[in-house]
Amino acid sequence: IEAKKCELSCFDNGATTTEMRYLAKVYSLVPDERYRNAFNQALNCLIEAQGLCGSGWPQYWPKREGGAGTSYSNFITFNDNTIVNILKMLQDVMSNSGDFADITDEATRQKARESYEKGLQCILDCQIRNDAGELTVWCAQHDPVTLLPAVARNYEMPSYSGAESANILIYLMGIENPTEAVIESIEGGVK
């Protein structure tokens, strides 16, 4: 297994955050430092991976090498709830309660807060504007430099993505005391 392992971490389809939730649950029941350490390694991976996409997260980390067919995995990825799942995880870390009580130290929770704020801003910055300049929804992948919708695999053209956008909007609607920018984003997306 060790010889065949892949050095890439995947974040879509609940990968990584699901395992982190499991580790947090186990640590809350059995306070073995191995579980806490593994959780924090994954958390550090999430925070470091954000740097690849500026303020968003890619599908894989570290950056995948290769030509056509792999470059999309280095884009800001809303596909399969990637960013929504990561933001929810960061919020749980920041809460320092429930399964996440004392699984990290305050300095790490501060890094999680900073990462969360940048990730939320990424959602707002990537929201597609129509020709009239009105806020609409999101694509599954966005270019990490231009923030514009990007081509993924050959059957995933830049588009207004229904499933990803609906889940982003549901997430944004759950934010307590949203900023005016978040409210405008929700109103534009719903419209």
Side-chain angles (χ1 to χ4, degrees):
I1 293 172
E2 185 69 23
K4 293 182 179 183
K5 78 175 187 176
C6 178
E7 295 297 327
L8 294 173
S9 298
C10 184
F11 301 125
D12 72 349
N13 292 310
T16 303
T17 55
T18 299
E19 291 80 4
M20 290 175 72
R21 290 186 181 288
Y22 178 77
L23 286 167
K25 172 67 83 180
V26 172
Y27 180 72
S28 73
L29 300 170
V30 182
D32 184 317
E33 285 300 305
R34 293 177 299 168
Y35 307 132
R36 184 176 193 264
N37 291 340
F39 177 90
N40 280 286
Q41 285 177 335
L43 179 59
N44 287 332
C45 177
L46 284 181
I47 293 169
E48 287 178 29
Q50 188 176 26
L52 179 65
C53 287
S55 59
W57 283 269
Q59 181 183 21
Y60 287 93
W61 185 84
K63 186 175 182 178
R64 272 175 99 185
E65 299 303 325
T70 59
S71 61
Y72 75 91
S73 62
N74 299 324
F75 291 159
I76 295 170
T77 303
F78 294 106
N79 195 35
D80 299 321
N81 300 315
T82 298
I83 291 181
V84 167
N85 288 336
I86 291 172
L87 290 180
K88 287 178 180 179
M89 172 58 63
L90 292 172
Q91 282 183 297
D92 287 337
V93 168
M94 292 161 28
S95 77
N96 195 33
S97 62
D99 293 340
F100 300 90
D102 298 322
I103 198 160
T104 62
D105 57 24
E106 182 53 38
T108 304
R109 283 191 291 279
Q110 182 57 36
K111 287 181 187 175
R113 277 184 205 90
E114 292 165 7
S115 182
Y116 172 83
E117 292 298 329
K118 288 192 320 188
L120 182 58
Q121 188 61 49
C122 177
I123 288 175
L124 301 178
D125 292 343
C126 286
Q127 193 167 10
I128 301 167
R129 291 186 178 270
N130 65 19
D131 291 339
E134 300 168 320
L135 291 171
T136 63
V137 292
W138 296 263
C139 186
Q141 286 89 11
H142 286 252
D143 184 280
V145 176
T146 67
L147 304 181
L148 295 173
V151 174
R153 292 168 280 209
N154 61 3
Y155 56 89
E156 295 174 320
M157 305 277 66
S159 64
Y160 295 108
S161 179
E164 281 75 19
S165 296
N167 286 321
I168 292 168
L169 288 169
I170 290 167
Y171 175 75
L172 293 175
M173 287 184 223
I175 294 175
E176 292 184 32
N177 304 311
T179 64
E180 187 61 36
V182 170
I183 293 169
E184 288 173 7
S185 176
I186 293 166
E187 290 173 348
V190 169
K191 182 180 175 189

